[in-house]
Amino acid sequence: MKKLVILASVLVTAAFQAQENDSIQNKFNISGNFESNGQWYTNDVKRQIKHDPIPLRSNNYLSLNATYGKFSAGIQAEAYVNEALLNYNPKYTKTNVATYYANYKDDQWDITAGYFYEQFGSGLALRSWEDRSLGINNALRGGRIKYTPTENLAFTALYGKQRTGFDVANSDIYGFNAELGLSKLLFPHSEWNLNYGGSVVNRSENIPQGVSGFNKNTFVISNRIGVEKNSFYANFEHDYKSPDAVINAGKINYDWVKNGSAYLLNLGYAERGFGVDATIRRIENMLFLSERKPEVYSPENSSLNYNDKIMNYVPSLTKQHHSSLANIYVYQTQNMIAMQFDEKIQKFGEIGGQIDMFYEFKKGTELGGKYGTKIAANFATLYNLAANYSYFNANGDYSPSFTSKFLGADQNYFREFSVEISKKLSPTIRGNISVINQHYNDQYVRGIFQKSIVNATTLFSEATFSFANSRSITASLEHMWANADRKNWLGGSLEYVHNNNWSLFVSDMYNYGFDPNEHLINPTDLFKIHFYNVGATYRQGSTRISLNYGRQRGGLVCAGGVCRYVPPSTGLGLQINTTF
């Protein structure tokens, strides 16, 4: 902690000095951000939760960026005191410099040395990014050059090693990407907008001694085409992954070598007051790691549980809900192979998609009323790939293999349909109501022996009441009916905003349908229970401080379709975020 305090003092002092110089020469500028997420884990007698051996934990991030003309540089320090929050990557320990970079950028060139983030296309081939709530920071350390000779041509070349904890993975990553505005180059007066994108990403990692049958270089080739005209758009992407040792149920099998592929189609139409968007995706064996063998921390825990060393981005194609209860049964993309002979589970990939629709009834119409009415609907369904498979070869030796069917679908992993109606009722009142129906196949999503399918329907409503002097109250009420697992839930929240600085909030989720004889997806809190949370938030300029106390339900926390598991806990939380 002392290291972080000393480093913070030096950086903040430099920032103030630089800002004084900036007022004189208007060339040099320093900006930064500090974020702290702390938790004091307490006893909870009813939940049979005792003090964690290290009850006080915090994740702290301090970043500083400096710019001078076309040059910029930055550094980020991280401190995990006394250790990282529960179930974060065990490599996040103590205090250290996490990332740093230097950059030059003008109208055509963008050159970076050090750590950087990058995404090619949709991210199926490559995406490096940071999400602190999920514990993800898979930046690349090396060099990147971007060249944009015209507004319709852009090229990127990079080399790096992927971050893992405060170190880097034992492999070399090479990448090249091109973006071409074909219609502007070839048909400058066309009403159509046609674009092409192509990428090659290569991971070079030495093969263990005594292993043969595949190359140390594993590459992904991505081709993308996009077309737009007026309100219509369409995008198609195909990715091919070269043969590599298969990750089966989270464990590597060097005797099983297979390629991978992904197909992504997105179609849409949007105009004022109406929009429809459809996405269809097929993925098979598209787990792409900077080290092909996951690190194992315990029989049930590996680096995959922390999204560590993952090079590409394969989010779930489902709606992100504001409802707390609708996020109990969240879906995670099934992009890995899982053939488990003893448990009779065969997962070969995923095929499916979602469709979003939006319509606004105009003001003054029968359904629009005085202020108009908005309605949004979403349907998503994802399936296991159908395949011919076997566990033993012609000699009777255990040798799992399969051949998938291109458009074949088998078990339904997840299905969801939701409708949301939003309406302004008066100058000071607005609200929304939504119905969410979910079908969750726990046996195949998690790959467990015992069959468990949950069918749940959630009714969610929320209203905001605005008053003078920036005051407001937002209240929500929701209920879930489920046929299995913990069955029925009741939830609600209340937030009072006093002014631009202060707000108070309280929320609760109550599981009153618990049945001790029911098979539970998450066998914790074996009784009817309230998951309450109460707190306050203070904002001043670019600084936000939030204090809360409550119970954390064990389960998945997701952002942008990527999730991490959080264990059940009770405690006091403090979050600080400031930008300077």
Side-chain angles (χ1 to χ4, degrees):
M1 187 66 180
K2 290 182 180 179
K3 293 181 181 178
L4 184 62
V5 172
I6 294 172
L7 182 58
S9 300
V10 172
L11 295 180
V12 172
T13 301
F16 285 125
Q17 291 176 345
Q19 288 170 354
E20 291 177 358
N21 293 338
D22 181 56
S23 64
I24 298 174
Q25 51 188 324
N26 198 30
K27 289 184 178 181
F28 187 74
N29 181 57
I30 288 186
S31 61
N33 169 265
F34 175 73
E35 180 179 335
S36 178
N37 299 298
Q39 187 79 17
W40 179 26
Y41 298 98
T42 62
N43 291 329
D44 193 328
V45 176
K46 187 173 182 179
R47 302 182 72 186
Q48 299 180 346
I49 294 178
K50 297 182 179 181
H51 270 306
D52 188 81
I54 305 176
L56 184 59
R57 297 165 176 251
S58 65
N59 297 0
N60 306 276
Y61 311 88
L62 176 64
S63 60
L64 181 70
N65 299 287
T67 60
Y68 181 80
K70 298 177 181 179
F71 295 91
S72 62
I75 188 170
Q76 177 167 299
E78 299 176 7
Y80 300 92
V81 186
N82 297 300
E83 286 191 6
L85 299 177
L86 290 178
N87 213 49
Y88 271 75
N89 193 328
K91 292 182 177 180
Y92 290 144
T93 61
K94 301 181 181 180
T95 302
N96 211 330
V97 173
T99 60
Y100 49 83
Y101 75 92
N103 174 266
Y104 170 84
K105 185 177 182 179
D106 61 20
D107 292 339
Q108 291 187 331
W109 294 94
D110 184 346
I111 303 172
T112 302
Y115 286 89
F116 57 89
Y117 303 98
E118 185 57 76
Q119 176 171 327
F120 291 166
S122 69
L124 284 169
L126 175 71
R127 189 194 188 196
S128 58
W129 83 104
E130 180 183 30
D131 191 312
R132 294 169 181 173
S133 65
L134 299 178
I136 295 176
N137 190 327
N138 59 356
L140 295 173
R141 189 184 73 187
R144 179 189 61 190
I145 299 176
K146 292 186 175 183
Y147 177 53
T148 309
T150 71
E151 62 178 356
N152 300 309
L153 291 173
F155 305 96
T156 300
L158 62 83
Y159 162 79
K161 290 177 174 288
Q162 190 179 47
R163 180 187 173 185
T164 171
F166 288 116
D167 204 348
V168 290
N170 187 28
S171 65
D172 297 296
I173 311 300
Y174 304 87
F176 177 80
N177 183 69
E179 300 289 343
L180 312 178
L182 295 179
S183 58
K184 300 300 181 183
L185 289 171
L186 303 177
F187 312 103
H189 302 295
S190 173
E191 295 182 358
W192 292 83
N193 188 14
L194 180 64
N195 300 295
Y196 167 80
S199 310
V200 179
V201 180
N202 182 74
R203 177 206 64 203
S204 180
E205 181 192 11
N206 291 330
I207 299 172
Q209 189 174 2
V211 174
S212 60
F214 59 95
N215 198 295
K216 73 172 185 178
N217 294 298
T218 304
F219 58 85
V220 172
I221 299 176
S222 173
N223 286 282
R224 307 175 297 274
I225 193 78
V227 60
E228 297 178 16
K229 183 181 180 182
N230 299 328
S231 299
F232 170 79
Y233 60 89
N235 299 281
F236 175 74
E237 177 175 348
H238 172 249
D239 297 81
Y240 169 80
K241 189 178 88 170
S242 65
D244 196 14
V246 166
I247 302 292
N248 180 16
K251 299 178 181 179
I252 192 165
N253 186 345
Y254 290 110
D255 296 322
W256 188 4
V257 178
K258 189 174 179 62
N259 60 3
S261 62
Y263 298 84
L264 178 67
L265 176 64
N266 176 239
L267 302 168
Y269 179 88
E271 62 180 28
R272 184 178 178 85
F274 172 73
V276 59
D277 182 273
T279 303
I280 302 171
R281 187 177 67 190
R282 181 193 188 277
I283 52 176
E284 178 182 346
N285 192 30
M286 276 302 291
L287 182 66
F288 195 22
L289 303 176
S290 53
E291 288 183 5
R292 57 175 62 88
K293 181 179 180 180
E295 290 186 65
V296 177
Y297 303 113
S298 69
E300 301 297 328
N301 195 22
S302 76
S303 54
L304 295 177
N305 297 91
Y306 306 105
N307 297 299
D308 190 21
K309 302 178 185 176
I310 295 179
M311 292 175 54
N312 58 346
Y313 178 63
V314 193
S316 57
L317 293 182
T318 56
K319 185 178 177 63
Q320 309 300 304
H321 293 291
H322 184 53
S323 160
S324 297
L325 298 184
N327 283 297
I328 291 177
Y329 302 110
V330 291
Y331 178 71
Q332 282 189 293
T333 299
Q334 303 296 305
N335 65 332
M336 289 189 291
I337 295 169
M339 293 187 63
Q340 304 174 63
F341 179 75
D342 294 336
E343 298 185 357
K344 308 302 181 186
I345 296 292
Q346 291 80 222
K347 295 195 295 186
F348 310 112
E350 174 189 287
I351 187 170
Q354 70 171 334
I355 182 169
D356 270 303
M357 291 181 288
F358 168 81
Y359 186 79
E360 182 176 5
F361 294 96
K362 296 180 180 180
K363 300 176 183 179
T365 62
E366 185 175 352
L367 293 177
K370 184 177 181 180
Y371 300 99
T373 302
K374 299 176 181 178
I375 183 169
N378 175 274
F379 176 73
T381 185
L382 291 308
Y383 290 85
N384 184 16
L385 290 179
N388 298 316
Y389 63 91
S390 64
Y391 282 96
F392 302 93
N393 61 23
N395 298 323
D397 299 322
Y398 182 75
S399 179
S401 65
F402 72 92
T403 302
S404 64
K405 300 176 183 178
F406 182 69
L407 293 178
D410 204 336
Q411 294 87 0
N412 187 201
Y413 290 133
F414 182 84
R415 183 176 63 251
E416 178 180 271
F417 176 71
S418 66
V419 177
E420 179 180 4
I421 300 174
S422 304
K423 186 170 181 60
K424 184 177 179 180
L425 302 175
S426 76
T428 59
I429 303 174
R430 67 180 185 275
N432 65 80
I433 185 169
S434 58
V435 179
I436 305 150
N437 180 264
Q438 297 170 314
H439 171 90
Y440 182 83
N441 189 338
D442 180 58
Q443 182 186 22
Y444 269 83
V445 171
R446 290 197 300 154
I448 60 173
F449 178 74
Q450 186 165 354
K451 184 177 181 179
S452 179
I453 295 178
V454 181
N455 292 299
T457 299
T458 301
L459 178 63
F460 174 81
S461 60
E462 184 179 65
T464 298
F465 305 85
S466 301
F467 307 100
N469 301 319
S470 302
R471 298 181 183 182
S472 67
I473 294 177
T474 299
S476 71
L477 183 65
E478 54 185 318
H479 187 276
M480 173 189 283
W481 295 266
N483 69 324
D485 192 30
R486 300 190 70 101
K487 297 188 176 178
N488 295 349
W489 290 77
L490 179 66
S493 66
L494 188 66
E495 181 183 18
Y496 169 64
V497 178
H498 183 67
N499 52 35
N500 292 329
N501 302 112
W502 286 98
S503 63
L504 305 172
F505 60 88
V506 60
S507 66
D508 189 25
M509 296 192 306
Y510 177 54
N511 174 224
Y512 69 91
F514 173 77
D515 183 348
N517 298 316
E518 190 77 26
H519 166 68
L520 297 183
I521 291 176
N522 186 8
T524 59
D525 297 316
L526 304 180
F527 49 88
K528 297 178 182 178
I529 183 174
H530 286 272
F531 292 96
Y532 54 81
N533 192 19
V534 59
T537 299
Y538 174 75
R539 299 176 180 86
Q540 181 64 54
S542 60
T543 298
R544 180 183 184 274
I545 302 174
S546 182
L547 183 70
N548 71 285
Y549 180 82
R551 287 172 167 168
Q552 171 66 57
R553 179 185 64 85
L556 293 176
V557 171
C558 305
V562 179
C563 306
R564 79 173 182 92
Y565 176 79
V566 295
S569 64
T570 301
L572 181 70
L574 175 64
Q575 298 81 41
I576 302 173
N577 195 317
T578 184
T579 302
F580 54 87

